Amino acid sequence: MNSTINFLDKSCFIIAGPCSAESREQVLQTAEQISASKKVHAFRAGVWKPRTRPGGFEGMGIQALPWLQEVQETYKLPVIIEIAQPEHIEAALKHNINFFWIGARTTANPFSVQELAEALQGVDCKVMIKNPIHPDLQLWIGAIERVLNSGVQQVAAIHRGFHTSAKNTFRNTPLWQIPIELKVNFPDMPIICDPSHISGRRDLVFDIAQNALDMGMNGLMIETHINPNEALSDKAQQITPFELNELLNHLQVKEKSTANPAFNQQLNTIRNNIDKIDAEIINLVKERLHLIENIATEKQKNNITAFQLDRWMHILKTRTDWATEQNLTKDFAEKLFQLIHEESIRTQIELMKAVPSIK
Ligand code: PEP
Ligand code: MN
């Protein structure tokens, strides 16, 4: 069984630094200001940048490594960089850099992850694995397993949001349920959040960062640039070291639990009531499905389709109206009834197979 060591020895591990290393001055000035805050535990910078189309800024490559080595030595901040090919690992190690992240595009490709995992065998290093671009938990788990199988034990995950077709304010939708499921699969492995790539906009970074800590994440990776408006990549989402300091000062790091007996008793009482309500919900859904069984029999006897568009539109309209009257969101009511309706239709189709029709 593979195991991970929680190497993030802080209750909230903070990684900050620019999207890309652009010049020696940019890297060193950013690191100087970031380290002055004493709240940052590692310095990030992209050396090789995965660009969607050729011709964009592809990173400074190998020449950036001595600058980052200088950061590490001058400010005593461990440096973390993105690796996408075995040669990146080899070059980084020559500059005493042994803290790596695997980017979202690489995680999505098992061939690339396997190549990296093989190159990491026997290397004393720490590796963080970003989620794949698309909301595919198994692909994320697979990449983590490949790295663990190579013998690296200091492994963590980075939640950077997901590409979805839904239009919303995020560059990458958080879909918090996916990192929660990852935690269920790897309870001991730390997960940190990258609010910069989730938001794509600097004004949203704080809220997402706080949200992540409230979700129990173990730290944050925040893109920070000495002069964000002039950044060669991801300029809209980077913040200055001053803004980073403000953000970190305002973040609330919460505890997972407390010994306070009054609170624990109150929590138990409320949870008992919630348990009762959930049991009632299950009973109601069961009763609803029982009615569905009757409908299925009648529809089959009368040669009527299981799915009825008019009825579905009516359900969706009325239920979302009822929900919004009760101050529940339309989006939640839609998702809830889509799920219930899908199960109803599935049940009806199953039952119809067993009932002879009139034809
Ligand atoms: C980055 O961290 O700059 C980066 C390219 O991230 P991602 O792989 O999450 O897009
Ligand atoms: Mn970036």
Side-chain angles (χ1 to χ4, degrees), residues 11-258:
S11 58
C12 181
F13 193 88
I14 305 292
I15 302 174
C19 177
S20 305
E22 299 168 2
S23 69
R24 178 174 173 272
E25 291 65 38
Q26 172 247 10
V27 162
L28 284 164
Q29 282 176 20
T30 310
E32 184 185 4
Q33 295 193 20
I34 281 177
S35 81
S37 77
K38 306 256 184 286
K39 295 186 189 83
V40 173
H41 311 110
F43 184 83
R44 67 150 279 155
V47 171
W48 298 275
K49 300 303 296 177
R51 303 322 297 249
T52 305
R53 294 180 57 194
F57 172 63
E58 293 186 338
M60 299 306 284
I62 275 183
Q63 61 178 317
L65 294 172
W67 312 333
L68 295 172
Q69 186 171 12
E70 207 176 328
V71 164
Q72 199 158 249
E73 285 161 9
T74 312
Y75 300 107
K76 309 283 174 257
L77 272 178
V79 165
I80 173 168
I81 63 167
E82 174 170 352
I83 49 163
Q85 292 172 337
E87 304 87 79
H88 298 163
I89 303 171
E90 205 184 317
L93 293 174
K94 287 194 187 132
H95 292 273
N96 274 342
I97 296 169
N98 65 352
F99 192 5
F100 306 123
W101 86 79
I102 295 179
R105 288 156 196 80
T106 308
T107 305
N109 181 348
F111 287 130
S112 300
V113 177
Q114 187 58 33
E115 270 183 23
L116 290 175
E118 280 164 26
L120 289 169
Q121 257 176 28
V123 175
D124 174 20
C125 62
K126 305 176 176 73
V127 182
M128 295 185 133
I129 298 145
K130 285 197 168 196
N131 64 260
I133 298 206
H134 296 99
D136 185 336
L137 174 66
Q138 293 308 318
L139 213 43
W140 200 1
I141 292 178
I144 293 165
E145 284 172 341
R146 285 178 202 276
V147 173
L148 287 172
N149 287 347
S150 75
V152 178
Q153 282 186 302
Q154 302 185 94
V155 173
I158 304 177
H159 167 232
R160 49 81 76 199
F162 300 87
H163 176 80
T164 55
S165 54
K167 289 246 172 307
N168 58 38
T169 44
F170 305 108
R171 180 180 179 194
N172 292 290
T173 319
L175 304 179
W176 297 103
Q177 197 56 38
I178 297 185
I180 291 176
E181 288 305 316
L182 188 75
K183 196 83 191 160
V184 171
N185 279 269
F186 299 96
D188 302 326
M189 184 183 63
I191 307 181
I192 71 162
C193 179
D194 170 350
S196 308
H197 287 88
I198 290 179
S199 67
R201 277 172 43 182
R202 63 180 66 95
D203 61 319
L204 297 179
V205 173
F206 176 81
D207 280 352
I208 297 166
Q210 184 63 59
N211 208 330
L213 298 190
D214 289 342
M215 297 295 292
M217 298 254 174
N218 307 93
L220 300 165
M221 176 187 260
I222 300 180
E223 286 194 338
T224 310
H225 191 289
I226 194 82
N227 190 359
N229 289 331
E230 301 297 317
L232 298 180
S233 57
D234 287 350
K235 62 167 77 164
Q237 69 195 31
Q238 303 204 58
I239 60 175
T240 64
F242 177 81
E243 289 164 336
L244 175 75
N245 195 34
E246 290 285 292
L247 181 150
L248 296 176
N249 278 337
H250 285 93
L251 274 183
Q252 281 182 19
V253 182
K254 294 168 186 160
E255 302 297 327
K256 299 254 180 317
S257 59
T258 169

Side-chain angles (χ1 to χ4, degrees), residues 326-344:
Q326 300 295 335
N327 285 332
L328 298 171
T329 67
K330 184 166 180 252
D331 184 50
F332 169 70
E334 259 171 26
K335 283 196 192 123
L336 180 64
F337 280 94
Q338 271 162 2
L339 210 59
I340 290 178
H341 187 250
E342 196 180 303
E343 184 62 2
S344 300

